[in-house]
Amino acid sequence: MKKEEKSFQEIRMEMINYTIHQMESDQKDLCELGLETAVDILKGQLKFIESHKAFRPDQKEVVNLIHMTFHREKMLVDQLIRNGNVSRSVGTLYKLLAKKSHNFGIQSSWLTIRILYRKRRLKHMDEKYQEKRGRIMAEYYEIQEFVSHKVIAFLLQICTIENKKEVHMLIRYYMDKLKKKEMFFEQNPSQAMVKQQLARAFEIETVFIEDALESGMISARMAQELREQISYDELIYLN
């Protein structure tokens, strides 16, 4: 008789517990920059799953909304550039990073290279031209604030009874963007280290899924659902 597969939340909890154990075991010093905070975030996920029936968004609806908001962002930035409200260089940078965020962290190699190249270039510019750095930061924030408010208004307009949970999830994402004080290219060691540790956690989770699938512990469908959950977490925590 075939053994009944565990539920999504049961497998997810096992995956997170495994990841926490691996991260703590691999590091001799839990006080390493970013590690303790990253582990706390994972433990917070466990507590939420244990105390609630965790909201599982309709993945197709989320992807559809993400495509819609990305095109909306691109259109708004292009409008700012055409009207002369922002420079083409910073507007292009914003669109590149928006594309990175909306790809759920799954990027093609050429885009990754372009982002890293531009980041290094901006870092070099920061070291040589402090005044330019301030102007770039101010302009980036101006674009981010303008676009986020417009996209939130757009999401509220298309919100229905059927998609309200997914829409509110995206609205929370843009509200969080409005609260962020650090730019992508601004050096913030503690924040950067937390993101690095979380990225490592998501890699461990991905390996867990592949091993569980190969051993027959989970089905291909369950594996895909878990991968989609990791993609969602990457969107929330790494951008």
Side-chain angles (χ1 to χ4, degrees), residues 48-153:
F48 180 81
I49 296 170
E50 288 169 350
S51 59
H52 301 80
K53 288 185 177 179
F55 165 55
R56 292 180 60 195
D58 182 316
Q59 295 295 337
K60 288 184 179 179
E61 182 63 28
V62 171
V63 170
N64 180 50
L65 288 171
I66 285 171
H67 285 315
M68 291 173 69
T69 56
F70 169 67
H71 288 299
R72 177 72 53 162
E73 285 195 57
K74 184 178 180 298
M75 181 189 71
L76 290 165
V77 176
D78 285 340
Q79 178 186 329
L80 289 173
I81 293 172
R82 283 196 306 271
N83 294 343
N85 300 116
V86 299
S87 66
R88 183 171 297 276
S89 60
V90 180
T92 300
L93 172 63
Y94 184 92
K95 288 190 290 183
L96 267 175
L97 300 183
K99 185 169 185 176
K100 172 181 177 289
S101 297
H102 287 77
N103 275 345
F104 272 152
I106 304 171
Q107 308 148 31
S108 58
S109 58
W110 68 267
L111 179 59
T112 303
I113 291 168
R114 286 176 64 185
I115 290 171
L116 291 175
Y117 170 76
R118 190 173 289 271
K119 182 178 180 181
R120 291 192 193 100
R121 184 180 170 191
L122 286 169
K123 181 181 178 183
H124 178 69
M125 185 184 297
D126 172 54
E127 292 167 352
K128 283 192 170 184
Y129 308 104
Q130 292 297 326
E131 290 184 8
K132 280 190 177 182
R133 177 179 185 270
R135 289 200 296 270
I136 290 170
M137 290 177 66
E139 196 169 359
Y140 188 97
Y141 279 126
E142 180 184 343
I143 295 172
Q144 181 172 274
E145 183 174 6
F146 174 82
V147 168
S148 295
H149 281 300
K150 291 288 187 181
V151 171
I152 289 171

